Amino acid sequence: MFYDFDEIIERRGTNSLKYDFARERGMPDDLLPLWIADMDFRAPREVTDALAARVAHGVFGYAGPLQDYFDALGAWFEKRHAWKCDPRRFVQTSGVVHAFSTLIRAFTREGDAVVVCQPVYYPFESAVRANGRRLVVSELRETDGRYAVDFEDFERKIVENDAKLFLLCSPHNPVGRVWTRAELERLGEICLAHGVFVVSDEIHADFVYAPARHTVFASVKPEFEKNCAVCTAPSKTFNVAGLQISNVYLADDARRAAFLRELERQGWFGPNLPGLVACRAAYEHGAPWLDALLAYLRGNIDFTRDFLRERAPKIRFVDPEGTYLVWLDFRAFGLSDEALRAKVVGEAKLWLDDGFIFGAGGNGFQRVNVACPRATLRRALERLAAAFA
């Protein structure tokens, strides 16, 4: 089947956070937005058809997942990620950020230390701080554009701060690393040794490019499965973030019960019906669409690398193993973060994500979302090259 990822879809005026809220977020209205991680592509036809059928039914009462929903989850993760799990151990929430914020409250107390590896998805830091926990940062090590965990520093920070929880980003946003099984095993062993619970945000798991391969943290060792929560969602994969559905895997019965109690304290009453419908349809029928999308995204990533190499070689391109987010290094220009943002916004007329919001290791970087039609990407890169050539 042919999927037209080159189609330009007008998103302004559709309540789109990406396109319609520039002024509210302190940006000019005339920018081309490649910031927040949602895609400019339609969801698969099977998903929109399933939603249309439910709308035609006309009744939108309180909802919950049936067995066919759990079956779809189990089959997806077994086929796509070689992870055979008990899908009834998944708990639904309104999103992965909601999930890991709730997990922080469920398994730590105010003042406890939570470890993150920066630069990393910025809601990690805000979730820790907003819940009154102490943020402990173990910086990733960068060598020639490739990032790795500093395991010695990671363990030292855990011990020195008596950390209780580790927020793992896998695949890693924004640097695009897909952690190897060996890396995950070492992280997991350190956490087990020191009684640290692992919350693994795997929302980008379906965006991995060969030869890299995603490994679900819970699948590395049986001991890890009992000592972690795996946060998953169809939202990034199928561009349905606005439907507010995620699935959090907790193998341990006591921990799952504690998580459910924390959700109850929040007044959580269950997932929304369109989210359940879309998730099931996507996991049951969306694989061919996703395979075509991955090929298109790999083409966009390659196009970005080649374009910048030719037109703006001082901008260093960090080749992602996963996600559809490109991490660009502008440090060769010697600009402050404020001057870099002013140039990107004022001269290139682009709305990107500033690197510094991901932590100190992001100073001098910008994150670019390349999940858009090639013509849109070309237009953005032309603007970038004109400003920085």
Side-chain angles (χ1 to χ4, degrees), residues 92-337:
Q92 288 64 54
T93 72
S94 65
V96 164
V97 174
H98 174 214
F100 62 64
S101 295
T102 304
L103 289 160
I104 288 169
R105 288 192 294 274
F107 300 122
T108 65
R109 297 178 179 179
E110 285 197 25
D112 282 348
V114 176
V115 180
V116 303
C117 291
Q118 288 184 344
V120 75
Y121 183 49
Y122 50 88
F124 277 25
E125 177 173 349
S126 58
V128 173
R129 296 191 187 281
N131 285 294
R133 277 59 172 175
R134 286 189 295 120
L135 183 76
V136 175
V137 175
S138 179
E139 290 284 345
L140 296 175
R141 289 186 289 105
E142 182 223 340
T143 305
D144 296 328
R146 182 174 173 81
Y147 287 81
V149 176
D150 184 336
F151 292 103
E152 289 74 22
D153 179 74
F154 178 74
E155 186 165 20
R156 183 169 61 253
K157 294 286 177 59
I158 285 174
V159 173
E160 290 176 351
N161 294 278
D162 189 25
K164 303 301 182 187
L165 188 144
F166 168 45
L167 278 175
L168 169 65
C169 196
S170 178
H172 195 92
N173 168 16
V175 306
R177 272 302 315 279
V178 175
W179 306 116
T180 65
R181 191 177 191 89
E183 288 172 314
L184 294 172
E185 183 171 355
R186 191 166 178 188
L187 286 168
E189 292 290 1
I190 291 170
C191 290
L192 268 183
H194 299 289
V196 175
F197 186 67
V198 178
V199 174
S200 186
D201 174 358
E202 304 192 12
I203 197 168
H204 289 280
D206 293 315
F207 297 103
V208 173
Y209 310 103
R213 182 176 178 84
H214 178 72
T215 302
V216 177
F217 181 79
S219 72
V220 176
K221 283 190 171 185
E223 309 94 285
F224 295 179
E225 185 183 38
K226 295 286 188 180
N227 190 52
C228 78
V230 179
C231 301
T232 77
S235 52
K236 302 296 183 193
T237 307
F238 298 101
N239 211 27
V240 292
L243 298 182
Q244 301 283 291
I245 184 69
S246 62
N247 301 288
V248 182
Y249 184 81
L250 290 128
D252 184 81
D253 292 341
R255 289 196 182 276
R256 192 165 60 259
F259 180 58
L260 288 167
R261 284 195 298 273
E262 182 57 41
L263 286 170
E264 184 179 9
R265 279 191 285 269
Q266 297 173 22
W268 173 249
F269 198 68
N272 80 77
L273 177 58
L276 293 173
V277 170
C279 182
R280 178 190 165 192
Y283 283 157
E284 285 182 342
H285 306 294
W289 180 91
L290 176 59
D291 290 338
L293 172 65
L294 287 171
Y296 191 87
L297 291 174
R298 180 71 258 183
N300 273 2
I301 291 167
D302 293 343
F303 177 79
T304 303
R305 181 192 59 240
D306 295 343
F307 185 100
L308 292 175
R309 182 180 293 162
E310 179 181 347
R311 298 281 301 279
K314 285 182 70 176
I315 302 174
R316 191 170 70 165
F317 172 88
V318 178
D319 203 353
E321 297 170 332
T323 81
Y324 51 73
L325 305 164
V326 170
W327 192 230
L328 297 182
D329 182 355
F330 291 82
R331 289 176 296 180
F333 294 92
L335 300 171
S336 68
D337 286 320

Side-chain angles (χ1 to χ4, degrees), residues 37-51:
D38 78 5
M39 302 189 286
D40 288 340
F41 309 126
R42 297 186 197 279
R45 179 67 179 270
E46 293 84 356
V47 171
T48 56
D49 283 352
L51 288 168

